[in-house]
Amino acid sequence: MKVKPRKMLFDPSGQRSNQDRILIVLHQERSTPGRVGQMLIDKGYRLDIRRPALGDDLPTTLSSHAGAVIFGGPMSANDQDAFIQTEIDWLKIPLEEDKPFLGICLGAQMLCKHLGARVDGDKHGRVEIGWYPLHATEKGNLLMPSWPQMVYHFHREGFELPQGAELLATGDAYPNQAFRYGRNAWGLQFHAELTRAMMQSWVVRGAEKFAMPNAQVGRQHLEGRMLFDNALKVWLSQFLDLVFQGRLQKTEFSSDVALPSV
């Protein structure tokens, strides 16, 4: 009997020791940086993966890193676990050193907490689990000419926009979906990093959440991927160029524009 090879959630091959490093912060043993990690490797970076929830230390400076990404997880930015507060406090380093930082879902909520904004659930109890519309703001369209119309979510809490931040995209149930603080700190409520294997894993492991208000059932997650994922993938590649290189690379979807200041 022929055994099918296991699908890889993330392939770390292709990295070289002389490449600039990006700090990657994950929150579970099996978590991976997925498509974000693969794209960063393809763009010439190598990944320094750390898991503070499992005892890894965070660097005291990003002087030897080109930037950092904090990913999501099933925990809340309001939890009292020591590693949660450690990561929230640590965010002073990329902010003070003006290094590119990207927070995704939990990572964005941690950034908001660090900046004094609230993180909480929808007052009607709604969640975003599945594919939902995204609406770029005027500022978002100035930064990037093409945003995806639908994005993937898996969260039950959102964030208040920090004072001084620029809102780049909004949603229906949770109005704050993407923002920039200063020149180099960015937050996303949605998940563009999921590979197909990651989404299948999330759908299986998170099936009990599909009965929550406003959540979609598993079939809609996978069907939505077929319809909407390509546009999300194209956007993500451009967005990572904007975050870590300060510019959009020339593609058939964008012009070569410099990053405007806030």
Side-chain angles (χ1 to χ4, degrees), residues 27-154:
H27 296 105
Q28 294 178 287
E29 185 177 3
R30 295 188 72 252
S31 296
T32 84
R35 180 180 283 166
V36 165
Q38 206 64 60
M39 285 185 173
L40 288 173
I41 291 173
D42 293 342
K43 293 176 186 295
Y45 299 101
R46 60 190 172 104
L47 309 184
D48 176 8
I49 297 177
R50 307 197 190 191
R51 294 176 170 84
L54 302 182
D56 292 344
D57 292 328
L58 293 172
T60 57
T61 176
L62 286 175
S63 59
S64 63
H65 293 78
V69 185
I70 294 183
F71 285 79
M75 56 288 295
S76 168
N78 296 315
D79 289 347
Q80 299 303 306
D81 302 80
F83 77 90
I84 294 287
Q85 193 58 53
T86 294
E87 290 184 38
I88 292 172
D89 293 342
W90 177 85
L91 285 167
K92 67 182 180 183
I93 292 175
L95 293 176
E96 290 177 354
E97 296 182 359
D98 201 24
K99 283 295 186 86
F101 170 78
L102 172 59
I104 299 175
C105 198
L106 176 62
Q109 295 167 4
M110 287 179 167
L111 176 60
C112 291
K113 289 277 286 188
H114 181 87
L115 295 171
R118 289 182 294 108
V119 172
D120 52 28
D122 172 64
K123 64 181 180 181
H124 302 296
R126 295 173 298 176
V127 301
E128 287 182 321
I129 298 177
W131 294 89
Y132 300 88
L134 186 73
H135 315 287
T137 64
E138 182 178 354
K139 182 65 175 182
N141 280 319
L142 176 62
L143 286 172
M144 298 186 68
S146 180
W147 286 73
Q149 295 183 350
M150 299 287 285
V151 292
Y152 188 70
H153 290 273
F154 215 107

Side-chain angles (χ1 to χ4, degrees), residues 229-248:
D229 183 64
N230 188 62
L232 185 58
K233 179 179 179 180
V234 170
W235 173 86
L236 177 61
S237 181
Q238 296 178 13
F239 182 69
L240 292 176
D241 288 335
L242 192 62
V243 172
F244 293 104
Q245 299 179 22
R247 61 196 294 271
L248 296 180

Side-chain angles (χ1 to χ4, degrees), residues 137-140 161 165-170 175-180:
T137 64
E138 182 178 354
K139 182 65 175 182
L161 189 68
E166 292 266 356
L167 184 64
L168 305 180
T170 68
N176 299 324
Q177 292 288 333
F179 71 92
R180 180 174 68 155

